[in-house]
Amino acid sequence: MPAALEEAPPRHRRRAARGLARSGRDFDDFAAALSARWHVICPDTPGRGLSQWALDPAREYCLAFYVEQAEALLDELGLARVHWVGTSMGGAIGTLGAATRLRGRIRRLVLNDNGPELAAPALVRIKAYAGQPPGFA
């Protein structure tokens, strides 16, 4: 998921969303740099980072479900409005969220390594490693 930063006295909160095959820990340095002024939230999406695998992969491994999860997290934390920093898939989640379920709740949307469409070579590269859970002996 992305990083969310929400304004809340005495500090502001931010939400950071990482890329497809990454984890919320990718934002450790980012969060540390902003921690004096901002509350930074960097959750993992289902099946990534330290989260558990999806119970219903066909339904849960998609942007619409990730936006639902983000909305539920913001609700659970009582965050009405956030600044969203999204890298790769985290940017796609923020973009879809800002246009749908999180409309009006994302004050600013910062996108990194994200665009309106992915180039064919990038999709081939992503498909080569995404959805390949690690095996253990």
Side-chain angles (χ1 to χ4, degrees):
M1 229 176 246
L5 300 86
E6 189 245 358
E7 296 181 297
R11 299 185 328 178
H12 301 287
R13 297 184 189 163
R14 293 279 185 269
R15 183 177 192 307
R18 76 318 162 271
L20 175 65
R22 308 297 306 171
S23 82
R25 299 304 310 263
D26 290 352
F27 284 95
D28 286 355
D29 292 338
F30 174 80
L34 296 179
S35 65
R37 181 165 179 221
W38 302 93
H39 177 181
V40 183
I41 302 153
C42 307
D44 290 321
T45 52
R48 293 169 176 86
L50 298 176
S51 70
Q52 69 182 31
W53 295 106
L55 298 175
D56 182 1
R59 184 181 84 78
E60 296 176 13
Y61 289 148
C62 68
L63 292 177
F65 184 76
Y66 300 148
V67 171
E68 288 178 36
Q69 294 289 294
E71 179 184 41
L73 177 63
L74 297 182
D75 290 346
E76 178 73 22
L77 296 174
L79 305 178
R81 296 184 71 197
V82 298
H83 301 286
W84 187 287
V85 179
T87 293
S88 187
M89 186 178 77
I93 296 167
T95 300
L96 181 61
T100 60
R101 300 176 74 105
L102 300 175
R103 183 183 307 250
R105 294 183 76 177
I106 296 177
R107 292 186 60 185
R108 290 180 181 87
L109 177 61
V110 178
L111 303 175
N112 174 51
D113 192 22
N114 181 271
E117 67 180 295
L118 293 174
L123 287 173
V124 170
R125 189 183 78 246
I126 291 168
K127 287 178 181 179
Y129 67 80
Q132 305 292 329
F136 299 97

